[in-house]
Amino acid sequence: MLSSLAKNKVSRRDFMKACAAMAVYLGLSESFAPKIADAVENASKKAPVIWLEAQDCAGCSEAFLNLTEPTPTQIILDTISLKYHETIMFGSGYVADKALDEAMKTPGYVLVVEGSIPTADPLFCTAGTMSDTNPARRPVVETLKEAYKNAAVVIALGSCASWGGVVQATPSKGRGVSDIVGKEKVINLPMCPCNPDHLVGTLVYYLTFKKAPPLDIHQRPLMFFGTLIHDNCPRRGHFERGEFVTNYGDPSQAEYCLYLKGCKGPFTFSDCPSRGFNDNVNWCIKSNAPCAGCSQPEFYAGFSPLYEKSNDVNLPGIGGVPSETVGTVAAAVTALGVAAHLVGRSVFGKKKEGDK
């Protein structure tokens, strides 16, 4: 790592500044910078990582491969030792199967799982072969259970791996990783796709402290999922003024609140407003699309239909408030404008996941 920094003319001073920035990124004091520097410098030992893909579209892999700072090359070649990844590894067939089997023999690796696990029938998702002498395809659920045994920590990457996602409603009845192996070692990094910053930040935290970061009741790192999107939404002012998009074709409604168009921001915990995607170039609401709530366990079926206001959903994050109340509040906000400000704050005010 140090030789690489020297090659790129990065001074020790700049390196420590970067580590201090990473500490802030992780929600820690800058005094943790030396510990992070030590972890990064010792990354030459390269934490072994096994990356399994189940019922997925490879969107989380694609998001990771589009990282720009750091680049996926820096992560894969300089920080971790990627033992197995079906999409990006060079080997295939029996060679890939052997690499996976050998990697699972040594305890202490980071297990990343992308995609949901079928529960209706194991044969809905298979990969590789049972053995050199038994060419029957291996169910992913069996591979997951075997890989879980020696894993130090398990990262469920994306909404599908966290709690089933869109695949929950398919005939395969896809479920999240913790539904199969339990919650003990599992960190959920939901969203569709997962924000690659969340993956890198979680890996750095684990390399630094050798344990999972503080998690919420849904096993998500609080440093990334500790605030409601609604609290930090750039359109919050329009919500409080009762200015809602009702017609996408009306230029006068540009930048208005998207709640009446089905936005799930008031029920969704994530740092999307401050972090965005692709170096903060864009994110759903910034591109004039309602938040789909993809970081919540209710996504997708519990929030469907996505483009209608949420009168009939089981309200997460604002527990105890009947859905009818939210519909009434939204209508009141529209009708009364500024007068509804106090009502809106009392219902959608700052909350944390699990508040009653």
Side-chain angles (χ1 to χ4, degrees), residues 239-263:
F239 170 85
E240 294 181 344
R241 289 194 292 272
E243 297 171 346
F244 296 92
V245 173
T246 57
N247 179 5
Y248 281 114
D250 184 352
S252 69
Q253 297 180 8
E255 306 297 326
Y256 276 13
C257 175
L258 292 161
Y259 178 72
L260 298 184
K261 288 296 184 184
C263 182

Side-chain angles (χ1 to χ4, degrees), residues 21 30 106 182 191 251 292 295-297 302 309 315 350:
E30 291 187 21
T106 305
M191 296 179 64
S295 68
Q296 293 296 123
K309 64 185 175 73
L315 300 175
K350 288 187 177 180

Side-chain angles (χ1 to χ4, degrees), residues 1 4 8 68-80:
M1 172 62 73
S4 175
N8 289 283
T68 56
E69 189 61 41
T71 66
T73 302
Q74 289 172 310
I75 296 294
I76 294 171
L77 299 182
D78 296 341
T79 306
I80 65 174

Side-chain angles (χ1 to χ4, degrees), residues 100-132:
L100 175 60
D101 291 339
E102 289 297 319
M104 290 192 296
K105 292 177 181 176
T106 305
Y109 48 80
V110 176
L111 176 62
V112 177
V113 183
E114 179 180 357
S116 70
I117 312 301
T119 58
D121 188 325
L123 295 181
F124 268 106
C125 186
T126 62
T129 55
M130 299 295 289
S131 68
D132 289 351

Side-chain angles (χ1 to χ4, degrees), residues 105-174:
K105 292 177 181 176
T106 305
Y109 48 80
V110 176
L111 176 62
V112 177
V113 183
E114 179 180 357
S116 70
I117 312 301
T119 58
D121 188 325
L123 295 181
F124 268 106
C125 186
T126 62
T129 55
M130 299 295 289
S131 68
D132 289 351
T133 55
N134 180 4
R137 297 183 67 81
R138 183 190 303 182
V140 165
V141 65
E142 292 184 11
T143 305
L144 168 64
K145 290 178 179 177
E146 185 178 354
Y148 179 82
K149 294 176 184 175
N150 283 336
V153 65
V154 180
I155 297 176
L157 195 64
S159 295
C160 293
S162 294
W163 23 73
V166 175
V167 192
Q168 274 188 357
T170 68
S172 75
K173 297 182 180 178

Side-chain angles (χ1 to χ4, degrees), residues 4 20 35 47 63 71 79 112 181 184 191 207 233 292 298 336:
S4 175
K35 193 164 186 174
T71 66
T79 306
V112 177
V181 297
E184 183 181 357
M191 296 179 64
L207 290 173
C233 180
E298 292 81 1
L336 301 178

Side-chain angles (χ1 to χ4, degrees), residues 10-258:
V10 177
S11 67
R12 178 74 185 178
R13 184 183 181 85
D14 290 336
F15 173 61
M16 292 307 297
K17 285 182 179 179
C19 291
M22 178 59 76
V24 174
Y25 175 91
L26 296 175
L28 304 171
S29 165
E30 291 187 21
S31 62
F32 280 90
K35 193 164 186 174
I36 291 177
D38 182 62
V40 174
E41 288 170 351
N42 288 325
S44 56
K45 299 174 184 175
K46 293 187 179 180
V49 175
I50 296 174
W51 187 314
L52 299 179
E53 292 186 70
Q55 295 185 128
D56 71 319
C57 65
C60 294
S61 288
E62 291 285 349
F64 171 71
L65 294 173
N66 281 316
L67 266 173
T68 56
E69 189 61 41
T71 66
T73 302
Q74 289 172 310
I75 296 294
I76 294 171
L77 299 182
D78 296 341
T79 306
I80 65 174
S81 176
L82 188 59
K83 300 293 187 181
Y84 181 86
H85 188 303
E86 293 160 11
T87 300
I88 65 175
M89 68 188 303
F90 184 77
S92 62
Y94 290 113
V95 175
D97 291 344
K98 186 176 181 180
L100 175 60
D101 291 339
E102 289 297 319
M104 290 192 296
K105 292 177 181 176
T106 305
Y109 48 80
V110 176
L111 176 62
V112 177
V113 183
E114 179 180 357
S116 70
I117 312 301
T119 58
D121 188 325
L123 295 181
F124 268 106
C125 186
T126 62
T129 55
M130 299 295 289
S131 68
D132 289 351
T133 55
N134 180 4
R137 297 183 67 81
R138 183 190 303 182
V140 165
V141 65
E142 292 184 11
T143 305
L144 168 64
K145 290 178 179 177
E146 185 178 354
Y148 179 82
K149 294 176 184 175
N150 283 336
V153 65
V154 180
I155 297 176
L157 195 64
S159 295
C160 293
S162 294
W163 23 73
V166 175
V167 192
Q168 274 188 357
T170 68
S172 75
K173 297 182 180 178
R175 295 294 183 267
V177 172
S178 58
D179 290 331
I180 307 299
V181 297
K183 297 181 177 179
E184 183 181 357
K185 294 188 284 188
V186 177
I187 302 171
N188 285 328
L189 296 182
M191 296 179 64
C192 185
C194 169
N195 192 319
D197 287 1
H198 295 169
L199 175 59
V200 174
T202 301
L203 286 173
V204 170
Y205 190 101
Y206 178 76
L207 290 173
T208 303
F209 300 103
K210 306 302 181 189
K211 64 179 183 180
L215 306 176
D216 69 5
I217 61 171
H218 297 306
Q219 304 291 110
R220 301 175 298 192
L222 283 167
M223 57 190 181
F224 302 130
F225 300 96
T227 58
L228 273 174
I229 285 181
H230 185 69
D231 283 344
N232 299 301
C233 180
R235 302 190 182 202
R236 175 67 179 264
H238 292 291
F239 170 85
E240 294 181 344
R241 289 194 292 272
E243 297 171 346
F244 296 92
V245 173
T246 57
N247 179 5
Y248 281 114
D250 184 352
S252 69
Q253 297 180 8
E255 306 297 326
Y256 276 13
C257 175
L258 292 161

